[in-house]
Amino acid sequence: QVQLVESGGGLVQAGGSLTLSCAASGRTFSGYVMGWFRQAPEKEREFVASITWSRGSTTYADSVKGRFTISRDNSKNMVYLQMNSLKPEDTAVYSCAARVISSGAYRYWGQGTQVTVSS
């Protein structure tokens, strides 16, 4: 079965940095888009960033553009989210997800990892 497992969350002060990791397993991800989403308390889940597995084409939400960087290591089946200049409003549960590149719906989801940014 496909499994996405996030790690790297924690508590960080505003202005600090944190890198999240997503270990992907259970299938080959060529032809897939890997994404990061986040959900703050009492808010809807929102898109953060995505990267195509094969080409490495990236997309970012306006709220994180210039601060966050998504990347992947195909040989290790890993996806990363480097988060810099963190703000309190970045506080959320961050989840890794995967979808077929031709699909609009993310099919697989990780369990999420908590990121808390203090002021």
Side-chain angles (χ1 to χ4, degrees):
Q1 72 278 27
V2 171
Q3 193 168 26
L4 305 176
V5 181
E6 304 95 333
S7 62
L11 176 63
V12 64
Q13 290 187 17
S17 298
L18 208 57
T19 298
L20 305 182
S21 299
C22 173
S25 63
R27 66 160 297 128
T28 58
F29 290 91
S30 58
Y32 273 74
V33 177
M34 312 301 291
W36 285 98
F37 292 77
R38 67 187 183 186
Q39 187 169 24
E42 301 189 312
K43 282 194 169 185
E44 191 53 59
R45 177 181 289 110
E46 66 173 332
F47 170 81
V48 176
S50 69
I51 186 167
T52 62
W53 189 261
S54 295
R55 281 193 176 274
S57 301
T58 59
T59 301
Y60 296 94
D62 288 342
S63 59
V64 306
K65 200 173 185 66
R67 300 188 299 123
F68 291 11
T69 302
I70 188 172
S71 62
R72 86 275 191 252
D73 186 332
N74 300 56
S75 65
K76 296 180 180 178
N77 270 205
M78 296 289 292
V79 184
Y80 307 98
L81 185 68
Q82 174 66 50
M83 305 183 293
N84 299 322
S85 302
L86 283 162
K87 307 173 180 179
E89 47 264 50
D90 294 319
T91 295
V93 173
Y94 284 71
S95 298
C96 182
R99 65 169 173 87
V100 179
I101 199 166
S102 59
S103 174
Y106 281 80
R107 181 176 300 177
Y108 306 108
W109 293 83
Q111 84 289 349
T113 185
Q114 176 70 47
V115 172
T116 302
V117 184
S118 64
S119 58

